[in-house]
């Protein structure tokens, strides 16, 4: 009998032992421990997510639009980050939503046409948000606009107001 065919003292044949001395049993134990570790980590992550509060962080609906002096009389100013037009006429200020009442596209102010236009399906609105033409079912809503104690314009996008309501400064 040669050395290669001799059973080892641990009961495993020499062919089950790698050249670096790792047995098949050791190898399978390592694989099993690794798999259990990965499964345990995965279930810990899922458990942590389950118990974490499901909070939705939304941007504030009230914002300062700045000093009234920034807006010339008879102007329409688009505030991109708020998707609101600040309009000043000789009557006063109002804040108009830039979100089209048809399917929610963002409209654009076109001073050359003196109109707010929707790029999606062609709805057109006057600077005060009144609908001129197109599939939009309603005019653009007006939001509450007031002055802060320190004299800045304050718009509340949660409060839709009657379009005849303007802020006189
Ligand atoms: S989304 Fe504005 S016209 Fe359709």
């Amino acid at each position: 009998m040669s050395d290669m065919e001799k059973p080892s003292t641990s009961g495993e044949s020499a062919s089950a032992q790698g050249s670096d001395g790792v047995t098949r049993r050791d190898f399978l134990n390592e694989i099993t421990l690794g798999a259990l570790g990965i499964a345990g980590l995965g279930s810990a992550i899922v458990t942590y997510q389950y118990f974490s509060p499901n909070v939705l962080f939304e941007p504030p609906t009230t914002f300062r639009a700045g000093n009234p002096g920034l807006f010339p009389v008879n102007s329409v100013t688009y505030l991109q980050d708020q998707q609101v037009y600040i309009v000043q006429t000789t009557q006063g200020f109002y804040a108009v939503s830039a979100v089209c009442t048809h399917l929610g596209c963002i409209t654009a102010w076109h001073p050359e046409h003196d109109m707010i236009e929707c790029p999606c399906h062609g709805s057109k609105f006057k600077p005060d948000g009144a609908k001129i033409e197109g599939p939009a079912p309603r005019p653009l809503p007006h939001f509450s606009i007031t002055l802060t104690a320190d004299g800045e314009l304050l718009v509340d996008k949660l409060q839709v107001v009657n379009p005849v309501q303007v802020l006189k400064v």
Side-chain angles (χ1 to χ4, degrees), residues 100-105 107 118-123 125 134-136:
C100 182
T101 54
H102 181 221
L103 293 177
C105 288
T107 59
C118 181
C120 293
H121 311 102
S123 288
F125 306 88

Side-chain angles (χ1 to χ4, degrees), residues 92-160:
F93 283 92
Y94 46 87
V96 181
S97 170
V99 180
C100 182
T101 54
H102 181 221
L103 293 177
C105 288
I106 302 303
T107 59
W109 166 240
H110 289 269
E112 69 278 14
H113 303 145
D114 197 32
M115 275 190 282
I116 295 169
E117 299 175 5
C118 181
C120 293
H121 311 102
S123 288
K124 294 183 172 129
F125 306 88
K126 292 181 182 173
D128 66 357
K131 182 186 152 188
I132 300 170
E133 64 179 54
R138 292 178 306 281
L140 299 174
H142 285 213
F143 298 130
S144 162
I145 184 166
T146 54
L147 274 184
T148 61
D150 56 354
E152 287 198 354
L153 296 172
L154 183 72
V155 178
D156 185 351
K157 295 195 285 185
L158 266 191
Q159 278 191 45
V160 174

